[in-house]
Amino acid sequence: MTRSELTQLILAAKIRKELSWESIARALGASKEWVAAACLGQMTMTSEQARTLRGLLDLPEEAELLLQAVPYKGSLPTAIPTDPLLYRFYEILSIYGLAIKELIHEEFGDGIMSAIDFRMRIDREPDPQGDRVKIEMSGKFLPYKMY
Amino acid sequence: MTRSELTQLILAAKIRKELSWESIARALGASKEWVAAACLGQMTMTSEQARTLRGLLDLPEEAELLLQAVPYKGSLPTAIPTDPLLYRFYEILSIYGLAIKELIHEEFGDGIMSAIDFRMRIDREPDPQGDRVKIEMSGKFLPYKMY
Amino acid sequence: MTRSELTQLILAAKIRKELSWESIARALGASKEWVAAACLGQMTMTSEQARTLRGLLDLPEEAELLLQAVPYKGSLPTAIPTDPLLYRFYEILSIYGLAIKELIHEEFGDGIMSAIDFRMRIDREPDPQGDRVKIEMSGKFLPYKMY
Amino acid sequence: MTRSELTQLILAAKIRKELSWESIARALGASKEWVAAACLGQMTMTSEQARTLRGLLDLPEEAELLLQAVPYKGSLPTAIPTDPLLYRFYEILSIYGLAIKELIHEEFGDGIMSAIDFRMRIDREPDPQGDRVKIEMSGKFLPYKMY
Amino acid sequence: MTRSELTQLILAAKIRKELSWESIARALGASKEWVAAACLGQMTMTSEQARTLRGLLDLPEEAELLLQAVPYKGSLPTAIPTDPLLYRFYEILSIYGLAIKELIHEEFGDGIMSAIDFRMRIDREPDPQGDRVKIEMSGKFLPYKMY
Amino acid sequence: MTRSELTQLILAAKIRKELSWESIARALGASKEWVAAACLGQMTMTSEQARTLRGLLDLPEEAELLLQAVPYKGSLPTAIPTDPLLYRFYEILSIYGLAIKELIHEEFGDGIMSAIDFRMRIDREPDPQGDRVKIEMSGKFLPYKMY
Amino acid sequence: MTRSELTQLILAAKIRKELSWESIARALGASKEWVAAACLGQMTMTSEQARTLRGLLDLPEEAELLLQAVPYKGSLPTAIPTDPLLYRFYEILSIYGLAIKELIHEEFGDGIMSAIDFRMRIDREPDPQGDRVKIEMSGKFLPYKMY
Amino acid sequence: MTRSELTQLILAAKIRKELSWESIARALGASKEWVAAACLGQMTMTSEQARTLRGLLDLPEEAELLLQAVPYKGSLPTAIPTDPLLYRFYEILSIYGLAIKELIHEEFGDGIMSAIDFRMRIDREPDPQGDRVKIEMSGKFLPYKMY
Amino acid sequence: MTRSELTQLILAAKIRKELSWESIARALGASKEWVAAACLGQMTMTSEQARTLRGLLDLPEEAELLLQAVPYKGSLPTAIPTDPLLYRFYEILSIYGLAIKELIHEEFGDGIMSAIDFRMRIDREPDPQGDRVKIEMSGKFLPYKMY
Amino acid sequence: MTRSELTQLILAAKIRKELSWESIARALGASKEWVAAACLGQMTMTSEQARTLRGLLDLPEEAELLLQAVPYKGSLPTAIPTDPLLYRFYEILSIYGLAIKELIHEEFGDGIMSAIDFRMRIDREPDPQGDRVKIEMSGKFLPYKMY
């Protein structure tokens, strides 16, 4: 069983059992954002989380070890995503990318926002003109240093 | 003068005059995020903003009209950005993309977060273990409808 | 069963049962354009539509849940389509793209035609010199806003 | 002067003289859709149209001949357009492509919609929930024939 | 069974039964060029041709319907073909492309040679210095029209 | 002056002097197909042809030597041509490629049609239903040999 | 069985039976270079060679016909090979390509070295500072001809 | 002056002065293969060679230093060369690549033919059926070693 | 069984048996860096190593021969790796590449660092501000030579 | 002046003044690795370093400000480098990439080696069988954390 076959199993079981990411996240004791990414093969679970998930979704035995192995990360089937929801994030990067770069450097100097020491929250933002998706990203600033 | 030549002029003048995006944004009466994107050729200015920017940066006369023309958008020189700061955002999309998709659909059903009816804020988040970059995105949820 | 395996099942059953998209659309209570897209894995069905389609095409049980899950969208096997019928639409975008952009901006200002709040009709247009394909697209104009 | 340099000249003159595509189209005696495409280097003008356009926009002498030469067509700088307005049309092709193919074949049999014997109209469609962009395409159906 | 699996079946049966394209074409009542393309999944057969081919090659039952369905066209595994025989045609397009474009426009004005209302013949041209491959293509000229 | 700058000069002079490829070909004593390709930087002229062309088009002195140098061949700006006239030839290769391969091998065995020992003619084929473009290609068959 | 499945079978049998390409070549009566290429799906065998190879490697019956069919050629999984031994040949083309072109044109005029009427030898060249790989290529010069 | 501008200067001067690579190579005291590659920006000259070449071709003063700087190597404008002479070498790699790999490993074990400790000769091979291009490559075998 | 199927078997067995690369390396008598690469299909084992590994991981019989065959090397699924750990190495090459080139040429002249006569060590470097990954690469310098 | 034009100026001046990276690094008070990267447009200088470099290389006035601006990073002209010295590093990533990933995860768990909190040294390693290039990389380990 490869990791992407396991991802297929997880998604199928989640649909069949009509579970939400929220409820899986509660069972695993972590945020819904981290748990969804982990189930989709991007993060590494603890042995306890792996055992819990296996029970919750009736996964085969070898899934438990595989969920604890560090996966080869990257979840998009094409370099530029075709799915409209995902493409909009690529578009934001394309339209605002250089502006983001300018503003972070203006505030922090040369360096980057970490994508490893990083967390994210996705919420509904009620709005009379139509509710909005609100995404908060927080990543440690890592400065380039002279040596 | 093409729009990208104007962008070069703006960036050179900003460095020469030692202006910050914050101060340019105040002069133009909009957020620093929108103003930086507009100066970099991704948004369309009002005639008043174009006149103000021209004065602020000593731009040539034709810049004023060009800043009011709708630009061909997209600011990255390659499909996958080579700049480390920008690449991290591409990586977040690659690692968290499917998780974001799952969670937005779980909360809202089928549809997308708009990248047009959209706003963004970039802030410093003080942290004793090293300050963090905080990015808030807010986009209207647009549902797919049956017809 | 992945969503694209389900698409293969649907297409095979439709051929075997000699059903038209028109008749499937009538059974599902939506337009032929939306229904064909949904069957091909691009739209999300209601539970009633999924049950109806399953009955109509003798699909396996798990198809019913899968048709209600939001799919990963994008239906072309290559970035530039090789199929001549589809390529012509890519060519129209390539030849008329900038003209469309100029004319929409002239009429509406900076913004886009939504591909989400969108509908489409495909009809036969009788013509003595050879009938024509007529395609009407209608998408909400979404303006960029300053913030 | 290459054709794309001429396109830059035309766009700059149009902005400077504050002309609309509508008014240029009236002067040239053709639709705004065809005229915008022709000015952007995708169609071939008659000698009279070329002379009229040259006068209207104060173009240099050699422009007149160049406007009558058949151009190398294709107006997008990248295979997948980065501009959000244009990308939406690419997305429509990606999401609805196979559905369009199925429906045209169902109605007409094997063949294509011509992109040469083709015309297009772009209009504003008033709507209380926000005006819409309406695009009508009409292309002759060309059947594949056995031989 | 997908259409490309059927193509594999056809090619295997043709080798096993030691049939030539000439003889299959005679049985189907069309040119060898059209028949080879149809067998390889690029053209749509009549019900009679499909039945004949099925008998000739002992194909399974579902092949008969599949041969009458309009296929997703395009038969090359890579955008630039690696096979030397096929590459030479790509090379001819690369070397002579602009010359062909110039000469067709000189003779016919702006427009294209149709690839749909199109036929082709491949023949042996005896030559004392080594026989030659002779290919005749004939496609209707389709003019661009102003509107 | 690079070879592609010379090509631009030749095309501009041809338009300005309102010469046809036919007449240039007569002056150079070769077919219009070869001459157009040579002018566009794909073939090598004799010193006499280079001198004649220079006189005919008032080219600068260094053009004469450059026309006799073997060029770096390949005239398409992108791997898949965007120009509709040229794309149709790419499409013919995509749709009929494997059929052409099958038929040449059936007639000649393993080998290729030469694109070097090659000639081509482009003619108008009158037809009551609309004139047709006729293209004849003739290339020496080159067999693979065992060694 | 596809041709590439047959290639896998051949390679597996060769390893299992501990045969060298030299010995297979002797059995088939051709050079090791041609035989290795033929076994790897790039050349077409005679019926006698196919029968011999089938016996030698215990291949299934249908392999015999498949080895006599002209294959779709091209053996690299990516356009730029990742394997270091193969990449070095790509690198030689990249570094020496234009020099090779200049020198062949200087000696022969405009034309190419045939890759069809071609043979190759690979030998060990003993050298006190470390033995060397010696590759001799010989291809017929094919001149471009005016017409 | 960049290195590729210098290459243009060298090629133009060579044509204008009607020098052969053979004669330039004699003047510089190295093989024609190495000298052509060095002139085309792929090898590094000694100070004496640079001075000689500058005199021979009347190059500007800064050329002398530039010819002694190690260049950024790689001389092909596209990953897959469009020029037919060069493409044939790419085709040889594509067709014979895996066979070459098998045969070198059979003779030498795991390792590569060096493209650095490498030399090449290009010669005319007279042949009654048409002269042939003969290319000899010799590269040191470099074995992979366990550690 | 292909080599990449064997790689999957090895990885699965290593997880199931909870073995470390360190312990496998000790059993095979080579460094952990070389052994991990060899297990992942990039290096060639001796017959003794292959037998040992087969025993250690309960691999099927044919694995033993396959581990001794020279593999087709290159282990990344995409040209630019999506996995963050691997991407950082690509980024180092992108950011520091030209600097590395300049410094090696300054010290050694024109030539390369061998990737064949090469060894590597990966170690933990304790650091109070967070431990560091230390990578040492050592490759023989191979000079380009004139000939 | 763009940053890449400044890079050209710096390289030309360095050659003309016959300065080494070592000596420039000493003048700027940082390592040769960091200084070469900074001069090549990948790092940001302090105002003092910028003034020193300007004096050392007689750069124009605006260079001083530009050297202090954070550059758009990434120094390779193509995604896969063509230069042999640089390609070897890409090859090391391709061959050893997965092994490096396995070994870092074995030692540190899930996370990456930072390419920002990173330093590098390039040295000559004397060796009787030919001196070696020694590269030491040290990057902080950044662990993924659950949240």
Side-chain angles (χ1 to χ4, degrees), chain C residues 55-144:
Chain C
L56 202 60
L57 299 177
D58 286 336
L59 300 174
E61 191 178 344
E62 67 181 303
E64 201 171 320
L65 280 173
L66 208 43
L67 288 164
Q68 303 173 56
V70 181
Y72 190 94
K73 301 184 174 81
S75 67
L76 301 178
T78 50
I80 299 178
T82 61
D83 184 81
L85 183 140
L86 292 177
Y87 183 81
R88 294 312 179 271
F89 289 91
Y90 184 78
E91 184 173 304
I92 290 166
L93 174 54
S94 175
I95 303 301
Y96 279 102
L98 293 186
I100 292 172
K101 181 173 165 66
E102 289 284 332
L103 293 168
I104 292 179
H105 292 326
E106 177 162 315
E107 178 65 28
F108 291 92
D110 197 354
I112 65 157
M113 179 183 86
S114 179
I116 308 296
D117 187 338
F118 173 82
R119 54 179 180 262
M120 181 173 55
R121 275 184 64 106
I122 302 177
D123 289 296
R124 176 187 287 266
E125 185 179 38
D127 187 300
Q129 299 189 294
D131 285 1
R132 301 175 75 84
V133 181
K134 183 175 157 194
I135 298 185
E136 281 186 22
M137 297 174 174
S138 165
K140 190 177 180 185
F141 179 74
L142 305 179
Y144 274 101

Side-chain angles (χ1 to χ4, degrees), chain E residues 49-119:
Chain E
Q49 290 174 319
R51 197 167 47 242
T52 306
L53 188 70
R54 184 183 154 206
L56 203 60
L57 299 177
D58 286 335
L59 300 174
E61 192 178 343
E62 67 180 304
E64 200 170 322
L65 280 172
L66 208 44
L67 288 166
Q68 302 173 56
V70 180
Y72 189 95
K73 300 183 174 82
S75 67
L76 301 178
T78 50
I80 299 179
T82 61
D83 184 81
L85 184 140
L86 292 177
Y87 183 81
R88 295 309 179 272
F89 289 91
Y90 184 78
E91 184 173 304
I92 290 167
L93 174 54
S94 175
I95 303 301
Y96 280 102
L98 292 187
I100 292 172
K101 181 173 165 66
E102 289 284 332
L103 293 168
I104 292 179
H105 292 326
E106 177 162 315
E107 178 65 28
F108 290 93
D110 196 354
I112 65 157
M113 179 183 86
S114 179
I116 309 295
D117 188 339
F118 173 83
R119 53 179 181 263

